[in-house]
Amino acid sequence: MTITQLQYVLAVAEHQNFTLAAQKSFVTQPTLSMQVQKLEDELDILIFDRSKKPITITEVGKKIVEQAKNIVNEAERIKDIVDQEKGFIGGDYTLGIIPTIMPTLLPMFLKTFINKYPKVNLIIKEQSTENLIRNIEDGHIDAAIAATPLEVEFIKERPLYYEPFVGYVPNNHRLKNLDNLKPEDLSINDILLLQDGHCFREGVINLCKASKNYDDEHFQLQSGSFETLVNLSDEGLGMTLLPYLNTLSLDDTKKVNLKYFNAPSPAREVSLIYHKSELKIQITEALRDVISGIVRGAIAFQDVKIISPISK
Amino acid sequence: MTITQLQYVLAVAEHQNFTLAAQKSFVTQPTLSMQVQKLEDELDILIFDRSKKPITITEVGKKIVEQAKNIVNEAERIKDIVDQEKGFIGGDYTLGIIPTIMPTLLPMFLKTFINKYPKVNLIIKEQSTENLIRNIEDGHIDAAIAATPLEVEFIKERPLYYEPFVGYVPNNHRLKNLDNLKPEDLSINDILLLQDGHCFREGVINLCKASKNYDDEHFQLQSGSFETLVNLSDEGLGMTLLPYLNTLSLDDTKKVNLKYFNAPSPAREVSLIYHKSELKIQITEALRDVISGIVRGAIAFQDVKIISPISK
DNA sequence: TTCTTTTGATAGTATAAAGGTATTACATAA
DNA sequence: TTATGTAATACCTTTATACTATCAAAAGAA
């Protein structure tokens, strides 16, 4: 049994296809097939049931695949230990970011990070929280920036900052004359929301639920970007809520429509999340340092109340 | 990096000697040296400092060795998974037993176990609790039978039975006329004890401490076997305490000197202990089944008070 | 010091393992 | 039926692993 064989097994288990698994492993299909067979021979069991198309994993196979994941992960950690010892911060690093954070936060830290750590090949992926969690579990991304707390067993969270919700209330809206908002003022019925799958949407719904203005009806308007929401809002279709960082780039003509919440302002907790195995932890820590250093100061709010990003 | 290379590294780390490590790994010394070098080259660090005699492990080396232990252990678990699937109970299995349990318990279960699981090659080692713990950590023994609770982080304990302490009070002793003992009756000053290193000794001392009759003076008489203690006791050198199972084989002429404790009788908890990684867990469970099945009935005491086997 | 002894590294070679190309076998779908 | 996708097999090359023999360096003994 070799680590390579286990990696091949993992590739086949993931893609359910020897040919594709071989490509992803950068070897030919016969090479991979032979190694998987050799492992099966050595253990004298079948890991894959090749009689079905697509191939399936046997019951023993499932257990072996789980254990193989452990072993391969622990083996990669050896390289981590060496890198840490050498003070080397480099190599591929895949970072996921949720769509509602990406456009505002990424420009703030990207240049600084790649200048400070030129040997890190940073790969950024924009994905929903749900997909980020799955990809962290599978090891396809090394860390992600998302709204927390998530309460996922295998994920560690390191808070980066707390970002208050800000109301965008257009001229004709019933709340127009208020100086500041209170959660109780909100009604789910006249708030424009992002599409399903955005956790900021869940946060807003949780906020309305908490203030008892939630009646579980279907929402008529949904959009994928805050820019659209603001524009729809201006058209008289209701108010909306924006994360604080998204309000900084608004036109002055629109900024007058912003209404802040009374303290403690509802806010989302934005964290760097990663697998509890802490692979590539030095790069993750470096990233956290850079982002916290930059965000500190950009967000001055002290007294906030965290709204959960997950539907309950 | 291969699992074999990691195993070689572990062997060298353990024996601090390439030649010996090679023997224990059943390869020649150059083979092992080359593989270790290859790993060092691949990682571009030194794991061992060969300039000193005996060779030492570098700082990075220590971390790598720790991680290598993980990996090798997790890899062995694959075979475990397969064995479990096949319902196969077999292979080498090393069991440690503390000296005060060995002579009474081993004869009770050994025949039954080797008949029921003929494919298991059981290797029994008699060692102190301290050594058992170290050997469980190093993976040199698969499980052990010892007095618990031990409160060791990496060890799991499965209680087998609770064995009461029984007083052996000779004719001329101050407690001779009591029908039953109470812990308060005991004085550390007239109890014969086993040598240092036996945890049953610690248990007795803890029992005396708990009853405030402990004055921390040096004890004059110590022995390595209960038989000696009983004989010394008969010579008028004080009373002694025996584990219940040890009293069963006494002569009738000696049995009259036995005095049981009032309920709840002080007792030691005897457990099967093993590494939390649960390697070879099927055999461990099989062993536990056999022993519990046999001991149940042999010890009828219900109401006992567990005395800790470790000095505090 | 000088001569052994111990112990790890190196050289050279045989064998086994891993990887490649070409081809075959066997499904499933058209 | 044929065409297509996919895994297995045959066969060859390269690489890795393990061996024997030997060397080099350090530690101990004379």
Side-chain angles (χ1 to χ4, degrees):
Chain A
M1 181 171 62
T2 68
I3 295 171
T4 310
Q5 285 171 348
L6 295 177
Q7 285 170 327
Y8 291 167
V9 166
L10 289 185
V12 176
E14 183 177 353
H15 299 104
Q16 307 225 319
N17 176 318
F18 278 72
T19 312
L20 186 57
Q23 279 172 17
K24 297 282 180 182
S25 304
F26 306 106
V27 291
T28 58
Q29 170 262 316
T31 297
L32 184 137
S33 280
M34 294 272 284
Q35 289 307 314
V36 173
Q37 276 181 55
K38 258 186 58 179
L39 182 62
E40 288 179 325
D41 285 352
E42 181 184 334
L43 300 177
D44 196 31
I45 43 104
L46 281 179
I47 298 174
F48 300 106
D49 181 350
R50 297 150 169 90
S51 71
K52 292 173 185 140
K53 301 253 169 156
I55 57 160
T56 58
I57 311 183
T58 63
E59 282 306 306
V60 219
K62 280 177 193 163
K63 293 176 191 167
I64 289 176
V65 165
E66 280 313 301
Q67 186 59 11
K69 275 185 196 166
N70 278 342
I71 297 169
V72 171
N73 255 321
E74 296 293 309
E76 283 179 25
R77 185 87 62 80
I78 293 259
K79 213 182 158 306
D80 253 42
I81 290 169
V82 175
D83 282 353
Q84 191 153 28
E85 186 67 21
K86 292 184 186 162
F88 175 79
I89 305 272
D92 283 350
Y93 190 85
T94 305
L95 177 71
I97 311 183
I98 59 172
T100 55
I101 293 178
M102 182 89 152
T104 49
L105 187 65
L106 186 59
M108 293 174 75
F109 74 83
L110 186 58
K111 255 191 185 162
T112 311
F113 183 83
I114 59 179
N115 282 334
K116 192 164 178 187
Y117 301 102
K119 286 177 183 164
V120 174
N121 179 27
L122 195 62
I123 301 141
I124 309 275
K125 298 201 171 173
E126 181 177 305
Q127 289 177 343
S128 68
T129 302
E130 197 184 351
N131 284 328
L132 290 178
I133 292 172
R134 188 165 342 108
N135 282 321
I136 286 177
E137 181 169 25
D138 295 346
H140 292 138
I141 67 180
D142 297 304
I145 298 171
T148 49
L150 296 173
E151 290 164 25
V152 176
E153 188 273 330
F154 56 84
I155 281 186
K156 283 200 178 179
E157 304 179 352
R158 298 290 303 266
L160 293 168
Y161 57 92
Y162 297 90
E163 186 175 23
F165 294 5
V166 181
Y168 184 86
V169 183
N171 256 318
N172 59 343
H173 194 272
R174 65 180 168 88
L175 300 177
K176 182 62 205 170
N177 295 320
L178 293 177
D179 279 343
N180 288 100
L181 296 175
K182 293 190 292 293
E184 307 87 78
D185 297 332
L186 301 180
S187 164
I188 199 69
N189 302 309
D190 64 356
I191 290 191
L192 300 172
L193 291 169
L194 293 178
Q195 287 165 10
D196 262 350
H198 287 274
C199 64
F200 191 77
R201 172 191 169 91
E202 297 302 331
V204 172
I205 292 174
N206 284 336
L207 181 58
C208 293
K209 273 186 196 173
S211 45
K212 316 277 186 211
N213 288 326
Y214 179 69
D215 57 6
D216 210 356
E217 73 172 28
H218 284 288
F219 320 114
Q220 302 185 323
L221 286 165
Q222 295 174 2
S223 165
S225 85
F226 291 114
E227 197 188 353
T228 313
L229 287 186
V230 168
N231 290 336
L232 288 172
S233 186
D234 281 338
E235 294 295 318
L237 293 164
M239 67 171 291
T240 191
L241 290 180
L242 306 175
Y244 173 72
L245 290 177
N246 285 77
T247 66
L248 299 180
S249 57
L250 289 176
D251 291 344
D252 284 346
T253 58
K254 303 204 166 183
K255 272 188 179 156
V256 298
N257 291 328
L258 293 176
K259 289 197 189 303
Y260 296 89
F261 281 87
N262 284 319
S265 173
R268 62 174 174 180
E269 180 182 64
V270 175
S271 298
L272 194 58
I273 63 176
Y274 47 90
H275 198 283
K276 70 171 177 191
S277 70
E278 301 201 340
L279 265 170
K280 302 196 190 179
I281 188 69
Q282 322 90 262
I283 304 184
T284 305
E285 283 297 311
L287 190 62
R288 196 186 122 264
D289 281 351
V290 167
I291 298 177
S292 327
I294 286 176
V295 171
R296 194 174 307 131
I299 299 191
F301 297 78
Q302 300 288 329
D303 189 10
V304 297
K305 181 179 184 305
I306 299 165
I307 304 298
S308 166
I310 50 181
S311 60
K312 290 172 182 168
Chain B
M1 181 170 63
T2 69
I3 294 171
T4 309
Q5 285 171 349
L6 296 176
Q7 285 170 326
Y8 291 166
V9 167
L10 290 185
V12 176
E14 182 178 352
H15 299 104
Q16 305 225 324
N17 175 317
F18 278 72
T19 312
L20 184 57
Q23 277 172 18
K24 297 282 180 181
S25 304
F26 306 105
V27 290
T28 58
Q29 170 264 316
T31 297
L32 183 137
S33 280
M34 293 271 287
Q35 289 307 315
V36 172
Q37 277 183 54
K38 258 185 59 177
L39 182 61
E40 287 180 327
D41 285 353
E42 180 184 332
L43 299 176
D44 197 30
I45 43 104
L46 280 180
I47 298 174
F48 300 105
D49 180 350
R50 298 151 169 89
S51 72
K52 293 174 185 141
K53 300 252 168 160
I55 56 161
T56 58
I57 310 182
T58 62
E59 281 306 307
V60 219
K62 281 177 192 163
K63 292 177 191 167
I64 289 175
V65 165
E66 279 313 300
Q67 186 59 12
K69 275 184 197 166
N70 276 342
I71 298 168
V72 171
N73 255 322
E74 295 293 309
E76 282 178 24
R77 184 88 61 81
I78 293 260
K79 210 179 161 308
D80 252 41
I81 291 170
V82 175
D83 282 353
Q84 191 153 31
E85 186 68 19
K86 292 183 186 164
F88 175 80
I89 305 271
D92 283 350
Y93 190 85
T94 305
L95 176 71
I97 310 183
I98 57 171
T100 56
I101 294 178
M102 184 89 154
T104 49
L105 187 65
L106 187 60
M108 293 175 75
F109 74 84
L110 186 60
K111 254 190 184 165
T112 311
F113 183 82
I114 60 178
N115 282 333
K116 191 163 179 187
Y117 300 103
K119 286 177 182 163
V120 175
N121 179 28
L122 195 62
I123 301 141
I124 310 275
K125 299 201 171 172
E126 180 177 305
Q127 288 177 343
S128 69
T129 303
E130 197 185 350
N131 284 328
L132 290 178
I133 292 172
R134 188 164 341 107
N135 281 321
I136 287 176
E137 181 169 26
D138 295 346
H140 293 137
I141 66 180
D142 297 305
I145 298 172
T148 49
L150 296 172
E151 290 164 24
V152 176
E153 190 271 329
F154 57 85
I155 281 186
K156 283 200 177 179
E157 304 178 353
R158 297 290 302 268
L160 293 168
Y161 58 90
Y162 297 90
E163 185 176 23
F165 293 5
V166 181
Y168 184 86
V169 182
N171 257 318
N172 60 342
H173 194 271
R174 63 178 169 90
L175 300 177
K176 182 61 203 170
N177 295 321
L178 293 177
D179 279 344
N180 288 101
L181 296 174
K182 292 190 293 293
E184 308 88 77
D185 297 332
L186 302 180
S187 165
I188 198 71
N189 302 311
D190 64 357
I191 291 190
L192 300 172
L193 291 168
L194 293 178
Q195 286 166 10
D196 262 350
H198 287 275
C199 65
F200 190 75
R201 172 190 168 91
E202 298 301 331
V204 173
I205 293 175
N206 285 334
L207 180 57
C208 293
K209 274 187 195 171
S211 45
K212 315 278 186 215
N213 288 325
Y214 179 69
D215 58 7
D216 211 355
E217 73 173 28
H218 284 289
F219 320 114
Q220 302 184 321
L221 286 163
Q222 295 174 2
S223 165
S225 85
F226 289 115
E227 198 189 352
T228 313
L229 286 187
V230 168
N231 290 337
L232 288 173
S233 187
D234 281 338
E235 296 295 318
L237 293 164
M239 67 172 291
T240 189
L241 290 180
L242 306 174
Y244 174 71
L245 290 178
N246 285 77
T247 67
L248 299 181
S249 57
L250 288 176
D251 291 343
D252 284 345
T253 59
K254 302 205 167 182
K255 271 188 179 155
V256 297
N257 291 327
L258 293 177
K259 290 199 187 300
Y260 296 89
F261 281 87
N262 284 318
S265 173
R268 61 175 176 179
E269 180 182 63
V270 174
S271 297
L272 195 57
I273 64 175
Y274 46 90
H275 198 283
K276 69 172 179 192
S277 69
E278 301 200 342
L279 265 169
K280 304 197 189 177
I281 189 69
Q282 323 89 262
I283 304 184
T284 305
E285 283 298 311
L287 190 62
R288 196 185 122 265
D289 281 351
V290 168
I291 298 177
S292 329
I294 285 176
V295 170
R296 195 174 307 130
I299 299 192
F301 297 79
Q302 299 289 326
D303 190 9
V304 297
K305 181 178 186 305
I306 299 166
I307 304 299
S308 167
I310 50 182
S311 60
K312 287 171 182 167

